[in-house]
Amino acid sequence: KEGNVIKKRLKGLPAIAFQHELDHLNGIMFYDHIDESAPYKDIPGATAFDRE
C-alpha cells in the first residue's frame, strides 16, 4: 500500500547502494557530496573498498 512506512537497517555495500538511489529520488547527485576545495580528503567514519 502507498504511504506505509518501511524501516530497513542496512550495512556495507547494500547501505551505500540504497543511499545512492535515495539521493537520486531527492534530487541529490554524487558530486553534490564532494568538497570542491578538497575533493580527495578523507571522509570521517568511511570505509574504503579495495578494488580487485
Side-chain angles (χ1 to χ4, degrees):
K1 290 183 176 181
E2 287 186 36
N4 290 344
V5 175
I6 298 173
K7 291 186 179 185
K8 295 276 184 186
R9 184 176 298 243
L10 303 171
K11 292 173 68 175
L13 189 56
I16 293 168
F18 190 87
Q19 184 63 57
H20 173 81
E21 297 306 326
L22 186 61
D23 282 349
H24 281 305
L25 292 173
N26 290 317
I28 300 169
M29 302 301 285
F30 174 76
Y31 50 78
D32 293 328
H33 295 284
I34 298 172
D35 181 347
E36 290 182 24
S37 64
Y40 299 106
K41 75 176 183 180
D42 288 338
I43 301 170
T47 302
F49 281 95
D50 289 329
R51 293 182 181 218
E52 296 177 9

